[in-house]
Every structure is written in C-alpha cells, then in structure tokens.
Amino acid sequence: MAGAITQDGAAVAEGRRSGPLIVTEDAELLDDLLRLCAAAGARPEVHPGVPRPRGSWEAAPLVIVGDDAVRRVRGAVRRRGVVLVGRDQDDSDVWRRAVEIGADHVLLLPDGEQWLVDRIADVAEGVGRPALTVGVMGGRGGAGASTLACALAVTSAREGTRTLLVDADPLGGGLDVLLGGETAEGLRWPAFAASRGRVGGGALEESLPELHALRVLSWDRGDTVAVPPQAVRAVLAAGRRRGGAVVVDLPRRVDEGVAEVLAQVDVGVLVVPAELRAIAAARRVATAVGMVLADLRIAVRGPYAPGLDDREVARLLGLPLVGEVPYETPPPDGSVPPGGAVRGPLARFCSAFWERASAGRGTDA
C-alpha cells in the first residue's frame, strides 16, 4: 500500500505543492480519504505507517492518520498538522489516542468531510495568511463608498500587493464600469451563483477581469441581482486564501449575503458625509453592521455642515476615525481610475490607510 497516489485529471495542477500524507491500512477509510483529496484537487502520499526514511512525515504539509494506524505512529516525531480520522461516533477513547500521537484535530466521518476537504485544499494551494480584507460602505446613498473602495484597491495593487476588488452591491452599477473595464473579458458574479462547496483560489483569480493590475469581481448588465449566500461565502473565502488584500464594496443593507461577507472582513470603513442627516442614516447602518463586524471605522467626506468636523462626526457615531476622504475631480475621459493619480490626495489617503491597517495586523498586507 505504500507509495504515492496520483489523482488523474486537471484537478492536480502541474507544479502544485504536494498534498497530505495519509497513514492507514483501512481500505475503506483510504477510499474515502482519496475521494476527499480528489475533491480538494490534492495529490496525497499514502503509507501504512510512518514513512522510512521519516522525511515525508516531517515535511508533509498535513498528516492524516487513520484510527487503525495509531499504534504504528506512536513513536513518530511530534509535529503540527496531524489529524486523527475515525468513524465510530461513540468511541470516546479516540481523544486519548489523539493525545498519544500529538494530533491537533480529531475528525469523525462522514460528519467532518467538508472540514477535511477544506483543510486538504488549503495545503494543496500552499495557503499562508489570508488576505487583509476591507469592507467599504456608505453611511447614506451617494456617500462615495464605491469610489473609495476602488481607490483603495488601485492603491494596493500599485504598491505591489496581490489585490482583489469585490463588488457586493448588485444595484450599484458595477465597479468594472467605474474602473473603465465594463468590456473586459472575465467572469462576473452570475457565473458563480451555483457555487456551493469550495472554490479554488487560483482558478478564481485567473477567471476574473484584470484591471489596473488588480482582479475585479463585479456584476454584469443582466437581470441577476442576487447570489446565494453559500456562493458568496465560498467565492470570498477563495479570494482571501490567495493572500494580499481584498477590498469589498458593500451595500448599506445587511442581508444574508452581506452577512457572509462581513463575517470575513477584517476592517470595515463607513463613509459618512459631514451633515446631520447623513450622520443619522450612518448610525442605523453602523448598528446593523456592528452586529456582525467588530472593527468598524469612520471615513468622513466634506464639505462640513456648521459645527462639524471629522472628529465630531466620529464622536457622534462613537466609532474610530480613519480620517477625511479627500475629493478629486476625475478626468472627463475616465482615463484615470479613483486613486490612480499617484501623487493625488486620494492616493496618499489610501496609502496611509493601508500602512496603518497592515501595522495594526502585525504584518504587511
């Protein structure tokens, strides 16, 4: 049974990082694990016990140990990323055996299949830290949230960060239009409406239009105005797994799909014009969003109503201040996207935002 098992088909990409190490002699369990590896697009290495020499045990990005193999791996070097897999839902001793081999997780099939597929696919893609994900929304209609979202994405890409811009507002007219790429080749949201399981991060990136050195997931000009929440979750998770930065332009309402996005957002930016009605509207948005998103900040747009400045707007809303979003007059021919003027005030604002956000995260975006 020892040796490498290669799954046929396009799921195993040339040059892809090696898949998990499977340790088991249980033929039925092995069939299930190979099926899950195929679903994740991974190529596993299979052994009945700890491989000799033991380099494969220590080097594998993930080790899946069948419950039948616990005795044969007890003396192996302790390492992270070991999963003990069993079938008996009533076997309480499985946890003791997991401790004996230093397993990080105990998984019982078939209940844990989706978790294991996701974990296998992570190592197959060589996943590191997920993308720093920023959600931008307007405190009221016309606040300029879409412009700021585009400017943040354009600035991030210009600074050399892998960047994905996601249009989560089907009624917003399309961010590809705002970036001058409505005719660019690539998939739009309706193409992902049937997605239910895991979406490959690399395949997603390659399928989307590339505009201004970033990838854009927008809406087409068809009649589709909603994508199932499961598809939203799968697509955004795929984008985040590629690392770098993800910027999401969000609507002001919080429905199931938006809640799925907010659950994966690291930092939310609420764009608020400096006027009393806008502040009142923004308070309602902030209340709804704050139920899902822990880190919500305020970006203020002028001109200012009497008695208001950016700090006062933030104080009235009780949220941290990002700063004042500067206004830039776009060129009449649309040749420069928001944030595209390298020395412009909007680009400088966005650069400062990314620097602070990355520092707060403890690493570069």
Side-chain angles (χ1 to χ4, degrees):
M1 187 184 294
I5 305 294
T6 302
Q7 301 299 322
D8 293 331
V12 180
E14 184 177 352
R16 171 173 285 179
R17 180 179 173 178
S18 61
L21 169 66
I22 298 175
V23 181
T24 184
E25 284 187 321
D26 183 331
E28 184 179 353
L29 177 61
L30 179 58
D31 284 345
D32 282 337
L33 294 177
L34 292 178
R35 172 175 56 83
L36 298 180
C37 286
R43 181 174 56 190
E45 182 180 345
V46 181
H47 289 269
V50 177
R52 298 186 183 280
R54 296 190 176 187
S56 297
W57 171 272
E58 297 171 0
L62 177 70
V63 176
I64 304 171
V65 178
D67 197 30
D68 66 289
V70 168
R71 177 179 54 81
R72 297 190 295 277
V73 302
R74 275 198 187 112
V77 174
R78 294 296 176 105
R79 50 153 293 165
R80 296 179 63 93
V82 176
V83 180
L84 178 60
V85 180
R87 293 180 180 281
D88 188 351
Q89 304 284 339
D90 298 321
D91 182 10
S92 58
D93 285 342
V94 68
W95 303 99
R96 175 184 55 79
R97 294 193 292 276
V99 172
E100 289 177 1
I101 64 172
D104 298 327
H105 297 278
V106 172
L107 198 67
L108 297 177
L109 301 181
D111 292 354
E113 285 193 357
Q114 188 57 57
W115 183 92
L116 188 55
V117 169
D118 288 346
R119 188 70 185 89
I120 294 169
D122 279 346
V123 301
E125 289 190 41
V127 172
R129 191 167 194 181
L132 175 56
T133 305
V134 177
V136 185
M137 67 213 75
R140 66 154 170 78
S146 295
T147 298
L148 179 57
C150 288
L152 286 170
V154 167
T155 302
S156 172
R158 184 173 57 243
E159 294 177 352
T161 300
R162 172 188 279 121
T163 304
L164 170 64
L165 175 61
V166 178
D167 185 353
D169 186 359
L171 304 180
L175 292 186
D176 53 351
V177 177
L178 188 54
L179 291 173
E182 60 270 25
T183 61
E185 293 186 2
L187 300 182
R188 268 67 172 180
W189 265 118
F192 298 98
S195 300
R196 292 294 183 274
R198 184 188 180 92
V199 175
L204 172 69
E205 184 175 24
E206 293 172 5
S207 72
L208 299 177
E210 183 174 5
L211 302 169
H212 308 287
L214 59 98
R215 297 287 179 167
V216 182
L217 176 54
S218 188
W219 296 86
D220 60 14
R221 263 42 73 186
D223 297 330
T224 301
V225 294
V227 170
Q230 307 97 304
V232 173
R233 177 173 61 249
V235 170
L236 186 58
R240 297 187 73 229
R241 284 196 302 273
R242 297 291 286 170
V246 174
V247 181
V248 188
D249 182 27
L250 289 158
R252 291 185 295 129
R253 68 183 185 281
V254 180
D255 56 20
E256 286 186 275
V258 173
E260 291 289 355
V261 175
L262 290 172
Q264 300 188 58
V265 166
D266 298 306
V267 180
V269 179
L270 185 61
V271 184
V272 185
E275 56 186 47
L276 291 178
R277 286 189 65 192
I279 294 171
R283 181 175 288 111
R284 294 187 177 186
V285 177
T287 298
V289 171
M291 296 176 67
V292 184
L293 178 61
D295 189 350
L296 180 61
R297 310 177 191 182
I298 297 296
V300 181
R301 277 195 180 276
Y304 292 92
L308 292 178
D309 59 19
D310 54 356
R311 295 182 182 275
E312 180 63 9
V313 173
R315 187 191 69 79
L316 290 171
L317 290 170
L319 293 169
L321 177 66
V322 170
E324 179 184 352
V325 182
Y327 178 78
E328 275 187 358
T329 302
D333 60 357
S335 57
V336 180
V342 179
R343 294 182 175 81
L346 186 54
R348 293 198 302 271
F349 173 90
C350 293
S351 292
F353 172 86
W354 285 119
E355 183 177 354
R356 291 193 300 269
S358 299
R361 202 183 192 213
T363 186
D364 293 337

